Amino acid sequence: MLSNSQGRLQDRRPLSIIDIGSNSIRLVVYEGLARSPTMLFNEKMLAGLGRGIVSTGKLDPEGVARSMEEFRRFRALSDQAGAEHMYVLATAAAREAINGPDFIHRAEDVLKTEIRVLSGRQEAHYSALGVISGFHPANGIAGDLGGGSLELIDIDGEAIGDGITLPLGGLRLQDMAKNSLVQAQKIARQELARAKLLKGGQGRTFYAVGGTWRNLARLHMEMNNYPLGVMHHYEISAESAQNFLKQVARGEVEKVRGIEGVSKNRRSLLPYGALVLQEIMTAMQPSRIVVSAQGVREGFLYSLLDAAEQKADPLISAAEELALLRSRSVHHAHDLVEWTGKAFKAFGIDETEDEARYRHAACLLADIGWRAHPEYRGKQSLNIIAHASFIGVDHPGRAYLALTNAYRHDGVFNELVAPEIRALAPPRLLERARVLAAMMRVVYLLTAAMPGIMPRLKWESRPNGALALVLPASLSDLYGERPAGRLAQLARITNRRLVLAVEGGQSVSAK
């Protein structure tokens, strides 16, 4: 048997999940069970199983026939990808239809594995775990809108509070309202009146989960010329959401900029998703809407981890994996985490918990572009980091990670570096990205990107107020004008007098 490519982590064992929803069916093969799971293969079909279920009580016949053919393909793809385990989850349509049990039995024969038909409570629980796994930390109310149902659940850190399942999935609502948006709004308002937990969400975050809401967020990005096309942790203010949702809820989606990026099968459900979100906002009064790319599938995977793995930081885990796969030395990356932490303290630079996490991740990612031509390392690294499938980081934090790497390669005073990404970072993070990059530019010239040197470097305060970067005498051959010049850049950025020195020997002032 051929070994895995070096582009994959060697200790991972692939597994697959098939998610049978009321509108879509999706196969995802993951590289392995991990805190920050990576997709090895991903495919979906819009089967529309729940179409017409309100009037007939049965799954859509055409959708059932198409699903069975796709299940054969999904089984074959899962086997081809080497998945050692296949988990199949079925939600609202399959559990509620009269012919649901027969459909499940036939699907199990084709897939050759047991299907877990989730109750509304289980679906809400896994959806909540998906949000918990994707944010650091989550605090608010999560809403998972599928084709057949809406799950609402209160989340505070790792604690899962009250939840409710409502028959407000896009296909079901369209069917109940007989294609009338006016009637759909009345139904949504009546059903949401039962969700007493929404009152406890006032001023907190609403986490939007599900394909319909992700497509709405994509349109919102297009309308506002948002510079980063990453869906996870995309934030929409309550005020901005109201105006946008009002337009979509009128059924004018074809006039919305960017609608061509939404499949035609999805477009008809967007007004219903907008109506439901409007009514949630009215009842809840959230401070903002945050989109989660993590849902039931990711929550189910998270539930398979042990307690220690669940507590791991997903951003650091993902950055560690990239460092292992793409950097010259993951040990050097670890040295950089420790050394920059000490350097920040020596310079008196305070960090919040998230800023410390971001610095940690940025150091792990600092060398992932080394194989590119030197002139393009900054651009390539920025693009990889800005668009990576990271969780546990908001968009300003993502900009910090990307800009640190770009400044490290392209120069800390280069104002041409990614202006669209710079616009996402507040001044405080932008300043810290420059400082961190300037420190990296100094130390890489002393280490040649190899481990073992940084632990021997130390910062010392001098009587004249200067701060010295001191090399031990045994490393005196690393002393030179290039690192001294980089130290001068760091001095300019931090407005400090800095000195490059050899223990018991020469020194040069950088400012």
Side-chain angles (χ1 to χ4, degrees):
M1 180 177 177
L2 295 176
S3 63
N4 286 341
S5 164
Q6 291 300 302
R8 289 171 57 183
L9 295 166
Q10 301 300 300
D11 62 343
R12 298 289 164 84
R13 299 292 177 265
L15 74 158
S16 63
I17 293 183
I18 295 178
D19 183 358
I20 305 173
S22 299
N23 191 31
S24 65
I25 299 175
R26 185 183 294 271
L27 163 72
V28 183
V29 183
Y30 294 92
E31 183 183 28
L33 186 62
R35 181 62 182 87
S36 185
T38 301
M39 291 183 184
L40 201 58
F41 184 83
N42 177 17
E43 185 172 309
K44 74 171 180 181
M45 69 169 296
L46 293 173
L49 288 171
R51 184 174 290 108
I53 197 171
V54 171
S55 54
T56 68
K58 296 182 179 181
L59 299 174
D60 180 74
E62 181 184 348
V64 169
R66 293 175 57 230
S67 298
M68 292 302 159
E69 291 302 314
E70 202 67 12
F71 287 150
R72 290 186 178 86
R73 172 175 164 75
F74 283 179
R75 174 80 252 187
L77 286 168
S78 177
D79 292 342
Q80 171 65 15
E84 294 188 352
H85 297 283
M86 173 187 281
Y87 300 96
V88 187
L89 311 176
T91 54
R95 71 172 173 256
E96 295 172 5
I98 297 170
N99 58 341
D102 177 65
F103 168 80
I104 294 298
H105 180 71
R106 291 176 59 194
E108 288 178 335
D109 285 344
V110 174
L111 292 168
K112 300 179 177 62
T113 192
E114 178 187 0
I115 296 177
R116 304 174 190 222
V117 182
L118 303 181
S119 67
R121 182 179 293 275
Q122 288 174 319
E123 189 174 352
H125 177 75
Y126 286 132
S127 182
L129 288 181
V131 172
I132 288 170
S133 73
F135 294 86
H136 189 88
N139 188 329
I141 292 177
D144 188 344
L145 184 71
S149 64
L150 167 68
E151 280 70 43
L152 295 170
I153 195 158
D154 194 294
I155 300 169
D156 186 0
E158 297 177 2
I160 300 176
D162 294 336
I164 189 171
T165 296
L166 300 172
L168 292 177
L171 284 176
R172 182 186 292 268
L173 182 57
Q174 186 181 40
D175 199 6
M176 287 192 297
K178 302 187 186 317
N179 296 310
S180 166
L181 292 174
V182 173
Q183 187 63 22
Q185 186 165 29
K186 291 179 182 178
I187 294 170
R189 187 171 298 167
Q190 291 169 357
E191 290 292 340
L192 285 165
R194 299 196 285 127
K196 305 301 182 185
L197 64 98
L198 288 174
K199 295 297 183 184
Q202 184 173 2
R204 298 163 70 199
T205 299
F206 180 74
Y207 296 95
V209 183
T212 296
W213 282 340
R214 285 196 298 273
N215 278 304
L216 284 173
R218 183 75 62 195
L219 292 180
H220 189 268
M221 283 181 172
E222 290 289 336
M223 285 182 63
N224 291 276
N225 296 310
Y226 192 73
L228 182 62
V230 173
M231 193 52 60
H232 188 68
H233 219 308
Y234 177 62
E235 298 186 14
I236 307 175
S237 70
E239 180 181 359
S240 178
Q242 290 288 9
N243 296 329
F244 167 70
L245 293 173
K246 190 178 296 183
Q247 178 181 355
V248 178
R250 288 198 296 262
E252 300 174 358
V253 290
E254 297 298 333
K255 299 178 181 178
V256 178
R257 178 180 171 184
I259 190 63
E260 61 278 357
V262 179
S263 68
K264 291 184 178 180
N265 287 336
R266 287 276 194 189
R267 292 181 197 180
S268 64
L269 299 183
L270 293 181
Y272 296 93
L275 283 172
V276 172
L277 192 49
Q278 271 187 316
E279 293 302 321
I280 288 172
M281 293 188 68
T282 299
M284 177 179 167
Q285 296 295 309
S287 59
R288 59 180 182 163
I289 296 168
V290 174
V291 179
S292 173
Q294 305 279 106
V296 170
R297 287 186 304 276
E298 293 75 19
F300 178 77
L301 281 181
Y302 180 79
S303 74
L304 300 179
L305 299 172
D306 63 36
E309 290 172 319
Q310 288 181 350
K311 290 184 181 300
D313 187 321
L315 173 62
I316 303 303
S317 296
E320 177 90 24
E321 290 172 2
L322 269 180
L324 186 63
L325 290 169
R326 302 184 68 112
S327 66
R328 281 170 282 195
S329 168
V330 69
H331 300 296
H332 182 272
H334 291 151
D335 285 353
L336 190 60
V337 174
E338 295 297 321
W339 185 79
T340 57
K342 294 175 181 177
F344 268 44
K345 288 181 181 178
F347 279 73
I349 301 173
D350 65 304
E351 293 180 292
T352 65
E353 179 190 354
D354 273 340
E355 287 167 354
R357 293 174 59 240
Y358 297 162
R359 176 181 54 77
H360 187 158
C363 289
L364 292 174
L365 298 168
D367 201 38
I368 64 170
W370 74 275
R371 283 187 178 274
H373 187 282
E375 291 184 11
Y376 307 114
R377 285 175 185 164
K379 291 180 181 178
Q380 184 186 85
S381 300
L382 180 139
N383 188 49
I384 290 171
I385 296 169
H387 297 94
S389 57
F390 293 144
I391 53 178
V393 60
D394 60 14
H395 284 202
R398 189 180 285 266
Y400 172 93
L401 301 179
L403 289 169
T404 297
N405 213 311
Y407 287 136
R408 147 160 153 59
H409 290 292
D410 295 338
V412 292
F413 298 110
N414 188 345
E415 293 301 325
L416 298 178
V417 169
E420 71 284 359
I421 300 298
R422 288 208 316 272
L424 298 176
R428 180 180 169 100
L429 284 184
L430 192 58
E431 175 199 11
R432 278 158 176 70
R434 290 183 190 275
V435 170
L436 182 57
M439 290 179 176
M440 290 177 179
R441 286 170 66 80
V442 172
V443 81
Y444 266 91
L445 290 182
L446 298 172
T447 65
M450 292 295 115
I453 297 296
M454 274 183 278
R456 303 173 66 187
L457 307 178
K458 57 184 177 180
W459 294 98
E460 289 183 355
S461 296
R462 295 294 167 86
N464 61 1
L467 190 61
L469 177 59
V470 182
L471 286 68
S474 60
L475 297 178
S476 61
D477 287 348
L478 294 175
Y479 183 92
E481 62 180 47
R482 284 275 289 165
R486 292 284 178 84
L487 196 65
Q489 292 180 349
L490 178 60
R492 285 176 58 192
I493 285 178
T494 57
N495 197 29
R496 295 288 299 267
R497 184 181 178 195
L498 304 179
V499 174
L500 182 64
V502 175
E503 200 167 43
Q506 74 265 43
S507 66
V508 60
S509 175
K511 184 177 180 182

